[in-house]
Amino acid sequence: MARNVSVVTTDDLDGSSDAQTVSFGLGGVNYEIDLGPANRTRLTETFAPFVAAARRARGAGRRSTGRTASASSPDRAAVRAWAREAGLNVSERGRISAEVLRQYEASH
């Protein structure tokens, strides 16, 4: 059986159609919001004077090709030890599943 699945993205503010995801950062936090044409224009016009006076942050616009550990990332060895004690299946090396990481973070 064939199945067609359509994803319709609507504006997070007013529910209008033809929304696109807009990303922005403020206070060291990155945000995403889905906005239709009118609200995208409104956001762009509102930010315009601030963007014009701002400078680009160092490294802005570059995407990392690999995951790097941050200060908030749990110690992988501790996660593996906790998972084994909790009876979860975790490999000795390589990637730790997102589900195991979620369970670890929820328990700590």
Side-chain angles (χ1 to χ4, degrees), residues 6-12 15-21 33-36:
S6 296
V7 176
V8 178
T9 305
T10 57
D11 190 299
D12 289 336
S16 63
S17 61
D18 195 27
Q20 294 177 351
T21 301
I33 188 169
D34 298 325
L35 297 175

Side-chain angles (χ1 to χ4, degrees), residues 36-87:
N39 282 326
R40 279 195 311 271
T41 299
R42 197 171 115 210
L43 180 69
T44 301
E45 289 173 353
T46 302
F47 278 156
F50 300 99
V51 171
R55 62 187 170 279
R56 276 203 138 162
R58 175 169 276 192
R62 288 188 284 167
R63 296 196 180 257
S64 174
T65 58
R67 180 182 160 96
T68 58
S70 68
S72 63
S73 294
D75 175 33
R76 300 296 191 210
V79 173
R80 289 181 203 288
W82 172 87
R84 280 189 216 98
E85 289 174 14

